[in-house]
Amino acid sequence: MTDNKTSLPDGLVTAYRMTNFEVLSEVPFVLKVDALSPSLEELFTNLNYKSACFITAYNPESVELSTSTNEIAQKNLHKDLTDLDCFILQGFGADPNGEWEGEPSYFALGITLADAKNLGNKYRQNAIVWCDQMCIPALILLK
């Protein structure tokens, strides 16, 4: 499902693909792009959802901003997800090699792909991670 047309540098796209998308549910688990997630299947079944998005408002367009600026944007994103009636879990996007600092994120269940893309664009993110009933997270490039 990854959109191959992008203006993003190959290295950045590769970094997104390699990221550990940590979902901080009651039983935490890690999502990997293009890899089936039995933990996600279980979460969807237990909570009766069929879609979710891993998203952050931190560091728009991969430009590092101050902690306070990022925290304000993240609070606004949380409000937007709440307004869409999503079930929201905390998340964290982490570099498995530890070369770059990870970002607090949200794992929003019950969101549509259109709404997820709209929020990604609103918060000037380069990409989001989309999960549907197939439980294979997909990198959705927005730039």
Side-chain angles (χ1 to χ4, degrees):
M1 175 178 258
T2 301
D3 181 358
N4 292 323
K5 296 178 182 177
T6 183
S7 61
L8 300 172
D10 289 343
L12 186 58
V13 174
T14 298
Y16 292 152
R17 290 185 167 288
M18 300 306 298
T19 297
N20 286 334
F21 297 98
E22 301 171 6
V23 178
L24 306 177
S25 59
E26 189 173 310
V27 178
F29 61 95
V30 173
L31 295 171
K32 295 298 284 186
V33 170
D34 296 332
L36 178 66
S37 174
S39 296
L40 179 58
E41 287 178 316
E42 186 175 336
L43 184 68
F44 276 176
T45 298
N46 290 344
L47 297 179
N48 198 29
Y49 286 100
K50 295 181 182 177
S51 66
C53 175
F54 197 95
I55 188 169
T56 187
Y58 268 62
N59 301 323
E61 298 171 348
S62 293
V63 175
E64 192 170 334
L65 300 180
S66 70
T67 300
S68 61
T69 299
N70 281 323
E71 287 174 350
I72 291 167
Q74 194 75 348
K75 285 179 185 177
N76 290 334
L77 173 58
H78 190 278
K79 181 185 181 318
D80 287 343
L81 292 168
T82 301
D83 289 347
L84 290 170
D85 203 28
C86 295
F87 185 87
I88 305 165
L89 295 171
Q90 296 294 317
F92 194 78
D95 176 5
N97 300 319
E99 293 177 15
W100 49 267
E101 190 173 332
E103 295 177 340
S105 304
Y106 295 120
F107 190 63
L109 292 101
I111 193 169
T112 66
L113 179 56
D115 284 339
K117 286 180 176 180
N118 286 340
L119 286 177
N121 286 317
K122 178 178 179 177
Y123 290 94
R124 298 180 15 244
Q125 296 300 303
N126 291 330
I128 58 172
V129 174
W130 174 250
C131 303
D132 63 16
Q133 67 273 11
M134 299 301 293
C135 296
I136 301 172
L139 182 66
I140 306 295
L141 302 174
L142 302 173
K143 306 280 181 210

